[in-house]
Each structure stands twice: as structure tokens, then as C-alpha cells.
Amino acid sequence: MDRLHLINVFVAVVEANGFAGAARRLGLSPPAVTRAITELEAQLGARLLTRTTRVVRVTEAGARYVEDCRRILAELAEADEAIRGLHGAPRGRLTVTAPVLFGALYVTPVVTEFLQRYPEVSTSCWFLDRVVNLTDEGVDVAVRIGELPDSSLQAVRVGAVRRVVCAAPSYLAQQGTPQRPEDLAGHTLISAQAVTPTPEWRFRSGGQVQALKVTPRLQTTTNDAALAAAVGGFGLTQLLSYQVEAQVRSAALQLVLQDFEPAPLPVHLVHREGRHASLKARAFLDLAIERLRARLAQPA
């Protein structure tokens, strides 16, 4: 069989977690899928999958091989798209990643406008509070908040966000408004860093950034939970300005200690450089840069 066909079948089996699911996805019979995997393993001289009557698992060799296969298939798709793009519009699947709440509030409106503009493109949005490796995971465009490490990726700055401390007006009316970071010791604090044994909040004082260890009464694993507790009047929390933008505008939350905020964190759009920046990715970047710069220019 053609090696490209075998690779497509192998990737489908891994992504579908089984032969039957891959057969339905590819429009093949289960025996045809089984034969393709057997032939691929014979050509490679390595076991890629282990099979039982109920479960198909990827071997260590298979796990390494499937990542290479995904890159090969992605590059082939991009090469095809580049040729078509000389005389056509963007098409194919675009994968975008961003932090969860930033993705929901800022990226989703850009994606829906992009899809309306380019009907031959579909999009997968990975909104995750972790750093996704663009090359290894086949992602086209990523939003990064914070300083960027050196890499071979291309980055375009679209704005910045601030670390802010806030609370509900009802809480501040009852407990008072802190005037300096040291005053937080006498307040009820909410931290969205439950995995950190000793959470730290950052402030600027005397031209220096200081990390203040805090003792929160409530620690959560999500920003949404910390936000909800603060809006409910439980205490003070430190989040990023975009995460509380709507609540500050509606006066559900009030910012405090603004004179002590550290320097804003840059927001970048990151993508793979050179020929890996596909036509669909370039079209998305053009739109996203314009829209995000406009949104992030608005004060929270």
C-alpha cells in the first residue's frame, strides 16, 4: 500500500482510540484498517500498537512515530494549500490556542468573524491554561500572555494586561479598603493558585517588583472560581485585568492598590515562521492583530 495511506490510517486509529472508529472516520472496513496497520508495522519493523479484544494502546515507539506523522500530514496539507492559495482563498482547518478566559472573551469573537469571512476554513480552538507546543501539537496560532522565551517562533505584540487586586464594593464597605500591600494581612484573600503551597502576589514599590507571600482563606484551581467568590463579596483577589474587565465596568468589582501594580504583561500572537505560516494562518493573524489591538487598547 501507499505509505501516505498507511500513515493516514495509523493517525486515524490513534485519534479514534480504536480500529472501528478509524474505519468509520476514513470510510474503510475494519479489516482494511487492520491490514494497513499490519503492513505499516512490517515495513517499519516495529510494533506501533498493542491490541486486546477491547482496547488499542499506542506503544512507546508508536507515540513517537504518530507525532512525526502528524507533522508530515500537516506540512503536506500546508503545501497543498500554498499552491491553491496562489489563486484562491484560505481553506482547511486552523488550530488556535489561548488561555481559557482570554479565549472565550477575546479570541472567540475573532474566530467567528474569520469563519464568516472565509467559508472554506474550519477552526479548532484549544482554550487551555497551559503552554501548548505549536510544532509538536500541530497548532497554527497561539496567544501568549507574559514575557516570551527565545524560540524559532514568530511573535506579534497586540497589547498588554495588568495584574490587579479587586473586591466587591460590599466587601470594601464592611472591611475597609487596603491602602498598601502590607494591609492585605488584615483582609480575607482569595487565590487562584491552589497548587502553590505559599501563593505570592506581585506589587511594585519604590521602583522594584516585590513578591508578597499571602495567606488566602480560599484557594481555587480556576480563575473563574476566584472571580465568582470576589463578586460574591467574600474577599480580595488578584487577577489579570482582562479577567475582571466586565465586572469592573459594571461596578460588581472595584480595583484597589492601583498605585502598586507591577508592570503590565505583554500579550503576543505567536505562530510558526517561514513556510509553516500557512495562508489560513496569515489571514487569521491579519484579522486577529487588528481586532485584539483595538480591544486591548481599551482600559479595564
Side-chain angles (χ1 to χ4, degrees):
M1 295 184 192
D2 176 74
R3 174 61 71 88
L4 183 59
H5 170 71
L6 300 181
I7 288 174
N8 266 306
V9 172
F10 172 57
V11 172
V13 170
V14 173
E15 293 180 347
N17 295 311
F19 287 73
R24 287 192 295 271
R25 173 176 168 177
L26 297 172
L28 300 173
S29 67
V33 172
T34 301
R35 286 194 299 271
I37 297 301
T38 301
E39 181 170 340
L40 182 60
E41 290 178 329
Q43 291 182 12
L44 296 172
R47 178 61 65 87
L48 301 175
L49 302 168
T50 58
R51 300 86 136 172
T52 67
T53 55
R54 295 184 178 180
V55 179
V56 174
R57 290 192 175 90
V58 184
T59 65
E60 183 178 351
R64 291 197 301 268
Y65 190 61
V66 75
E67 294 305 321
D68 291 334
C69 290
R70 284 175 172 145
R71 281 195 292 273
I72 290 168
L73 294 174
E75 289 178 2
L76 284 172
E78 288 171 3
D80 291 345
E81 181 182 330
I83 294 298
R84 290 193 299 263
L86 294 174
H87 304 286
R91 66 183 67 191
R93 178 168 291 277
L94 179 80
T95 302
V96 180
T97 186
V100 173
L101 195 52
F102 192 94
L105 297 176
Y106 286 73
V107 178
T108 298
V110 179
V111 169
T112 55
E113 182 180 350
F114 177 72
L115 294 176
Q116 290 169 349
R117 184 176 296 186
Y118 299 107
E120 294 185 82
V121 178
S122 58
T123 303
S124 293
C125 293
W126 297 5
F127 295 155
L128 306 165
D129 286 329
R130 68 173 176 86
V131 176
V132 175
N133 187 301
L134 273 65
T135 301
D136 290 347
E137 302 189 53
V139 174
D140 298 291
V141 180
V143 174
R144 296 278 191 265
I145 298 177
E147 297 298 334
L148 295 175
D150 291 335
S151 75
S152 62
L153 300 174
Q154 295 288 319
V156 181
R157 180 165 173 153
V158 293
V161 295
R162 298 156 29 228
R163 289 189 183 94
V164 299
V165 178
C166 56
S170 59
Y171 173 86
L172 297 175
Q174 293 177 357
Q175 304 299 327
T177 300
Q179 301 301 312
R180 300 184 60 82
E182 294 80 5
D183 296 343
L184 295 174
H187 282 270
T188 300
L189 305 183
I190 306 159
S191 172
Q193 299 171 319
V195 295
T196 305
T198 55
E200 295 180 342
W201 290 7
R202 295 186 178 274
F203 296 96
R204 179 179 49 80
S205 179
Q208 301 291 323
V209 176
Q210 299 179 346
L212 179 68
K213 291 185 177 180
V214 298
T215 305
R217 285 200 64 203
L218 174 62
Q219 291 179 276
T220 76
T221 55
T222 68
N223 297 317
D224 284 342
L227 179 60
V231 170
F234 183 73
L236 290 144
T237 191
Q238 187 178 63
L239 293 168
L240 296 179
S241 53
Y242 78 86
Q243 296 168 337
V244 302
E245 177 183 7
Q247 291 76 15
V248 170
R249 290 186 186 280
S250 68
L253 289 176
Q254 181 178 327
L255 300 182
V256 301
L257 300 176
Q258 291 174 273
D259 291 341
F260 298 92
E261 290 177 7
L265 297 170
V267 180
H268 290 91
L269 285 172
V270 178
H271 63 97
R272 289 176 284 172
E273 64 177 341
R275 63 189 177 91
H276 294 294
S278 63
L279 179 64
K280 61 181 181 288
R282 292 194 297 271
F284 179 78
L285 285 165
D286 288 343
L287 178 63
I289 290 168
E290 179 181 353
R291 296 292 183 264
L292 292 180
R293 280 178 173 168
R295 277 289 303 274
L296 290 169
Q298 301 171 12

